[in-house]
């Protein structure tokens, strides 16, 4: 009965998008795919498949950024956000340790029965793993020269203490103190407790707790499992830091990259727009510490083998939030914003003798980050955008003509704003145009041929944000299958589409504002969605050049519920064939392989399949939908294969 219901669900879905379903009694036809290995087509850029990071759903603080303490410098609007003080504790800012983060905790212990100290809740708790080390540190000073002892404890959800260490603070000057915590228990929702053991008065600032094991073991590093999941996608491009946070709700709350570099202790925080944008998903404790800043983004790009693609504000705050002009910068006042763009290129690529190249070198990376792309603006629209973009383009072209500039087609994938901006992007001669689509399953299936008719002479396309949005907005196999089908059109049109990135990337299961998302996580574990595996299969099997693949002399864009594309990998001398079957019947396909030597050719087949379109991966069952790999042999010049229903297949065949 359950299987019948699954098939009924699938049939209803396919009928709703105008796809014909055969009955079980019908004769299964053989569909002929003609692939010509001798007609090597357009190059597939090494940057074709990538990732887009925005700090939404607690994706940075509380997520990718490995810091475990919330509001470590007491700079939230409510300075006690994340903290529970006990005893004689207050917030002060006289003679601070860091001028851009001036607040600190002032504690006095005179033997109060309650004790005096602080307790931090972390990000929906503090995730701790047994037998791993954690680096605790803080900056502190005492009122007198008498030493003060602190007790540092990890407390579990039952209020039981399971790790204790001690620190001695001495001296009237600010100084950094540290100790290693080595817990013997695994706890997903711990708290950190700091208690004064000696009478006296002291100040504390920048209280931090990091796992010793970070990605690539970097100081101020990233959560290892999340960063590794990004590397495992084999991304060619890494777009950061947003998205809507680049715009800000106001000019004052826009993302300013210069605030995110230099010593991490002195980077001023910024409120996240995802703190308040969705009233039904309000998170008053959502701020950006900027511990994960532009240096760390560039470094991560390098570590995962992706080209960095920073996005900068163009002088417009979020147009959805601002109908008037008071939060937009007049064109004649844009020079500081243009300077920010030029300075960023110098920060990334400039010699260490330059102002911003020296900042990069002082942070530990004297070599250039080899920046090649920059995006100006996000989802802007109307005349306000191109009139601001134009002076950026002129300035960047004049000083850095080698940098590729990315403009935007606005928030929609069609319509009047989209139709207005594309000609403007051509007029300004940007190198790529960023298109965004958060659309229905029907749209994704019907848009596999979207780029077949695009202008081959204009700017290239960057599909910068896309995700299939069903009614329930969940990461089901349905959404992954539709995205796989759509992406055959991106690859087939690699002469037009040079970059594409799914969005958003991360979501904390206890603190999300938006879905679907590629990777979900809690404080200890992660789950890779079916959508993740689609991206991974494309990223690992991009190839170097498009090959013609046709059925009845036409591109395969949904006929008989089939979508397909082919590529050559010159580096490995392999043929790559991607096939998506969105039907509920198996499909017989004859592969006519022109240009391959006759005989058997060995290879491998990767299949992503689920019989239930609503199948999902969860933290409890993370492998419900995963690719299955097997060895295969294909006979040239022609061979017949069977493609199971509701599946995405990737063949890699040695030539």
């Amino acid at each position: 009965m359950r299987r019948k219901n699954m098939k009924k669900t699938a049939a209803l879905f396919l009928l709703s998008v105008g796809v014909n379903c055969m009955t079980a009694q019908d004769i299964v036809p053989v569909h002929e795919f003609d692939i010509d290995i001798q007609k090597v087509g357009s190059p597939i850029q090494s940057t074709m498949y990538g990732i887009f990071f925005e700090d939404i759903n607690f994706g940075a603080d509380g997520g990718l950024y490995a810091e475990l303490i919330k509001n470590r410098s007491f700079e939230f609007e409510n300075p006690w956000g994340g903290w529970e003080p006990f005893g004689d504790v207050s917030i002060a800012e006289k003679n601070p340790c860091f001028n851009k983060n001036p607040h600190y905790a002032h504690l006095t212990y005179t033997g109060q029965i309650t004790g005096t100290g602080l307790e931090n809740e972390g990000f929906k708790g503090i995730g701790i793993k047994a037998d791993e080390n954690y680096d605790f540190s803080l900056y502190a000073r005492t009122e007198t020269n008498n030493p003060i002892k602190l007790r540092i404890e990890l407390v579990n959800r039952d209020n039981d203490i399971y790790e204790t260490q001690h620190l001695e603070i001495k001296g009237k000057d600010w100084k950094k103190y540290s100790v290693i915590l080595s817990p013997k228990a695994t706890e997903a929702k711990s708290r950190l407790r700091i208690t004064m053991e000696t009478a006296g008065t002291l100040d504390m600032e920048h209280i931090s707790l990091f796992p010793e094991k970070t990605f690539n073991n970097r100081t101020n590093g990233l959560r290892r499992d999340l960063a590794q999941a990004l590397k495992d996608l084999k991304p060619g491009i890494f777009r950061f830091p947003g998205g809507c946070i680049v715009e800000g709700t106001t000019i004052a709350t826009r993302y300013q990259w210069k605030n995110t570099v230099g010593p991490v202790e002195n980077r001023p925080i910024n409120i996240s727009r995802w703190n308040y944008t969705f009233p039904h998903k309000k998170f008053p404790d959502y701020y950006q510490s900027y511990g994960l800043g532009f240096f760390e983004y560039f470094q991560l790009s390098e570590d995962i083998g992706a080209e960095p693609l920073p996005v900068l504000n163009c002088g417009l705050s979020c147009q959805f939030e601002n109908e008037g002009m008071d939060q937009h910068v007049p064109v004649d006042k844009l020079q500081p914003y243009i300077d920010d763009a030029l300075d960023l290129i110098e920060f990334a690529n400039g010699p260490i003798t330059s102002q911003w190249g020296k900042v990069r070198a002082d942070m530990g990376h004297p070599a250039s980050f080899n920046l090649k792309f920059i995006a100006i603006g996000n989802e802007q629209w109307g005349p306000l955008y191109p009139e601001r973009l134009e002076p950026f383009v002129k300035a960047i072209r004049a000083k850095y003509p080698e940098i590729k500039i990315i403009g935007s087609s606005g928030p929609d994938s069609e319509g009047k704003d989209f139709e207005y901006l594309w000609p403007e992007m051509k007029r300004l001669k940007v190198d790529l145009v960023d298109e965004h689509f958060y659309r229905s399953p029907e749209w994704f299936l019907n848009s596999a041929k979207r780029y077949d008719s695009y202008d081959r002479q204009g700017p290239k396309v960057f599909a910068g944000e896309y995700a299939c949005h069903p009614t329930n907005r969940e990461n089901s196999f349905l959404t992954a299958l539709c995205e796989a089908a759509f992406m055959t059109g991106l690859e087939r049109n690699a002469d037009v589409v040079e970059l594409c990135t799914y969005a958003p990337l991360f979501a904390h299961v206890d603190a999300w504002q938006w879905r679907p998302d590629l990777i979900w996580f809690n404080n200890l574990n992660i789950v890779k969605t079916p959508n993740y595996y689609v991206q991974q299969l494309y990223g690992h099997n991009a190839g170097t050049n498009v090959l013609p693949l046709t059925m009845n002399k036409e591109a395969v864009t949904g006929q008989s519920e089939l979508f397909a594309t082919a590529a050559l990998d010159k580096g490995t001398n392999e043929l790559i064939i991607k096939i998506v079957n969105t039907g509920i019947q198996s499909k017989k396909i004859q592969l006519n392989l022109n240009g391959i030597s006759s005989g058997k050719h060995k290879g491998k087949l990767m299949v992503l399949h689920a019989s239930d379109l609503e199948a999902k991966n969860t933290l409890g069952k993370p492998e419900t939908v995963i690719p299955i790999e097997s060895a295969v042999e294909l006979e040239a010049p022609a061979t017949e294969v069977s493609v199971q229903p509701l599946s995405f297949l990737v063949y890699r065949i040695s030539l």
Side-chain angles (χ1 to χ4, degrees):
M1 178 62 71
R2 186 168 180 266
R3 179 170 175 80
K4 182 182 288 186
N5 288 337
M6 292 176 191
K7 295 182 78 172
K8 181 179 179 182
T9 299
L12 288 173
F13 159 66
L14 293 166
L15 286 170
S16 73
V17 297
V19 179
N20 295 321
C21 295
M22 295 171 53
T23 66
Q25 290 76 27
D26 290 332
I27 297 173
V28 179
V30 176
H31 305 280
E32 291 194 32
F33 285 5
D34 296 312
I35 304 171
D36 197 333
I37 288 80
Q38 294 181 328
K39 293 183 178 179
V40 178
S42 301
I44 299 170
Q45 300 299 316
S46 61
T47 54
M48 181 66 163
Y49 302 112
I51 53 178
F52 162 54
F53 179 86
E54 175 161 16
D55 186 4
I56 189 173
N57 305 317
F58 283 79
D61 295 285
L64 182 62
Y65 185 47
E67 173 65 82
L68 297 171
I69 301 302
K70 183 195 295 180
N71 191 20
R72 61 190 175 187
S73 293
F74 308 98
E75 295 297 331
F76 286 10
E77 184 178 4
N78 168 18
W80 291 124
W83 294 98
E84 184 177 334
F86 53 94
D88 187 355
V89 186
S90 60
I91 295 293
E93 54 182 311
K94 183 179 180 181
N95 299 323
C97 188
F98 306 108
N99 65 307
K100 294 179 182 178
N101 288 316
H103 296 99
Y104 55 86
H106 182 73
L107 300 86
T108 299
Y109 177 52
T110 57
Q112 296 97 324
I113 194 170
T114 60
T116 293
L118 297 168
E119 195 166 289
N120 192 271
E121 66 183 6
F123 299 90
K124 303 301 179 183
I126 298 174
I128 296 293
K129 294 184 177 181
D131 300 319
E132 294 197 4
N133 291 336
Y134 292 82
D135 297 324
F136 172 84
S137 65
L138 80 168
Y139 289 79
R141 64 185 177 187
T142 57
E143 191 174 72
T144 69
N145 286 324
N146 296 327
I148 293 177
K149 291 184 179 180
L150 297 178
R151 185 170 68 249
I152 317 300
E153 298 167 317
L154 291 174
V155 184
N156 67 19
R157 69 174 73 199
D158 296 322
N159 208 32
D160 296 323
I161 297 166
Y162 66 97
E163 169 64 355
T164 302
Q165 293 293 335
H166 297 83
L167 274 177
E168 183 176 273
I169 311 299
K170 184 178 181 180
K172 296 182 179 181
D173 295 326
W174 287 106
K175 181 182 175 182
K176 186 175 182 179
Y177 298 84
S178 60
V179 68
I180 294 175
L181 306 183
S182 302
K184 301 301 180 184
T186 295
E187 295 286 343
K189 294 185 179 293
S190 306
R191 303 189 309 279
L192 176 79
R193 183 181 295 159
I194 306 170
T195 306
M196 295 179 67
E197 294 187 308
T198 309
T201 298
L202 83 161
D203 299 323
M204 288 191 238
E205 161 69 303
H206 198 83
I207 301 169
S208 174
L209 183 67
F210 264 88
E212 188 176 80
K213 293 181 179 179
T214 59
F215 184 63
N216 283 3
N217 296 314
R218 295 193 183 281
T219 303
N220 192 51
L222 306 181
R223 182 170 151 174
R224 179 176 285 193
D225 56 348
L226 293 178
Q228 186 63 49
L230 301 185
K231 185 175 182 178
D232 290 345
L233 286 167
K234 200 176 179 181
I237 196 80
F238 178 36
R239 179 184 182 229
F240 60 85
C244 292
I245 65 168
V246 169
E247 303 166 358
T249 300
T250 64
I251 283 296
T253 58
R254 76 191 188 278
Y255 195 101
Q256 300 181 61
W257 76 266
K258 290 177 180 176
N259 287 340
T260 78
V261 298
V264 66
E265 299 90 345
N266 208 27
R267 300 178 190 179
I269 72 163
N270 190 15
I271 191 169
S272 171
R273 67 169 297 161
W274 307 115
N275 176 309
Y276 50 81
T277 295
F278 301 130
H280 65 291
K281 282 284 186 180
K282 182 170 175 59
F283 287 86
D285 58 348
Y286 201 169
Y287 288 77
Q288 301 169 78
S289 73
Y290 286 154
L292 175 55
F294 261 48
F295 178 83
E296 290 77 21
Y297 285 128
F298 277 113
Q299 196 170 60
L300 177 59
S301 300
E302 197 169 74
D303 286 346
I304 63 178
E307 297 286 352
L309 171 50
V311 185
L312 296 186
N313 186 283
C314 66
L316 295 172
S317 60
C318 178
Q319 289 175 269
F320 286 109
E321 304 283 351
N322 296 281
E323 294 184 3
M325 292 298 296
D326 59 315
Q327 292 302 323
H328 302 319
V329 179
V331 175
D332 62 356
K333 303 292 185 183
L334 279 175
Q335 194 57 49
Y337 295 76
I338 296 170
D339 290 342
D340 279 351
L342 298 176
D343 291 344
L344 176 61
I345 298 171
E346 181 177 284
F347 174 78
N349 295 352
I352 61 174
T353 53
S354 65
Q355 178 186 353
W356 289 101
K358 183 179 186 303
V359 173
R360 182 194 70 242
D362 289 347
M363 294 183 73
H365 200 287
S368 167
F369 281 118
N370 196 25
L371 177 67
K372 299 172 184 175
F373 302 89
I374 192 168
I376 305 299
N378 177 46
E379 289 182 345
Q380 276 66 54
W381 66 82
L384 293 177
Y385 176 52
E387 68 183 11
R388 283 162 178 76
L389 178 60
E390 187 165 9
F392 280 88
V393 173
K394 289 180 178 178
I396 295 170
R397 293 281 191 238
K399 192 169 184 178
Y400 298 106
E402 72 280 8
I403 296 294
K404 290 188 175 182
I405 301 171
I406 299 176
S408 173
S409 63
D412 300 315
S413 52
E414 54 269 314
K416 66 175 184 177
D417 293 322
F418 180 87
E419 298 298 334
Y420 168 76
L421 281 176
W422 253 101
E424 287 295 294
M425 296 303 102
K426 291 181 179 180
R427 178 181 67 82
L428 295 177
K429 294 182 171 59
V430 300
D431 297 286
L432 296 103
V433 178
D434 185 6
E435 296 188 354
H436 295 178
F437 347 98
Y438 297 109
R439 305 300 297 273
S440 68
E442 295 88 345
W443 185 94
F444 272 85
L445 292 183
N446 292 330
S447 297
K449 62 183 71 159
R450 175 183 179 89
Y451 296 107
D452 293 0
S453 58
Y454 261 50
D455 181 6
R456 265 53 191 167
Q457 304 305 314
K460 304 303 181 183
V461 170
F462 171 30
E465 296 183 30
Y466 67 93
C468 180
H469 281 200
T471 303
N472 62 14
R473 297 284 292 273
E474 293 187 349
N475 285 100
S476 62
F477 179 68
L478 162 64
T479 63
L481 192 67
C482 291
E483 288 156 6
F486 172 72
M487 291 173 72
T488 61
L490 303 182
E491 184 165 288
R492 185 177 61 257
N493 289 284
D495 58 329
V496 171
V497 183
E498 293 192 347
L499 318 171
C500 62
T501 54
Y502 181 100
L505 192 56
F506 288 124
H508 193 301
V509 295
D510 296 324
W512 59 272
Q513 300 84 48
W514 177 287
R515 66 180 184 184
D517 306 283
L518 202 64
I519 301 166
W520 289 77
F521 63 92
N522 62 15
N523 290 341
L524 294 177
N525 302 298
I526 73 170
V527 58
K528 301 170 182 177
T529 63
N531 316 75
Y532 174 95
Y533 291 112
V534 167
Q535 296 296 320
Q536 188 179 58
L537 285 169
Y538 270 93
H540 281 253
N541 300 285
T544 59
N545 295 82
V546 177
L547 292 174
L549 183 157
T550 59
M551 181 170 65
N552 297 325
K553 299 183 179 181
E554 293 183 345
V556 185
T557 60
Q559 308 95 305
S560 301
E561 302 101 33
L562 291 169
F563 301 78
T565 185
L568 172 68
D569 190 326
K570 290 183 177 179
T572 62
N573 196 34
E574 289 177 303
L575 167 65
I576 302 170
I577 307 170
K578 300 181 181 74
I579 304 172
V580 180
N581 179 6
T582 61
I584 61 170
Q585 298 282 341
S586 294
K587 299 291 193 301
K588 290 183 178 179
I589 298 174
Q590 178 173 306
L591 299 174
N592 297 322
L593 307 174
N594 182 43
I596 299 182
S597 59
S598 296
K600 292 181 178 180
H601 292 259
K602 293 183 178 182
K604 61 183 178 180
L605 169 64
M606 292 145 280
V607 180
L608 189 69
H609 161 74
S611 57
D612 182 0
L613 285 169
E614 292 303 315
K616 304 171 191 69
N617 293 338
T618 65
L619 287 167
K621 295 182 177 180
E623 296 187 350
T624 300
V625 184
I626 60 172
I628 303 298
E629 183 176 316
S630 60
V632 294
E633 279 188 343
L634 295 187
E635 184 89 23
T639 190
E640 187 176 294
V641 298
S642 179
V643 179
Q644 65 192 108
L646 304 177
S647 63
F648 170 39
L649 283 64
V650 180
Y651 286 92
R652 287 193 76 106
I653 305 300
S654 297
L655 297 177

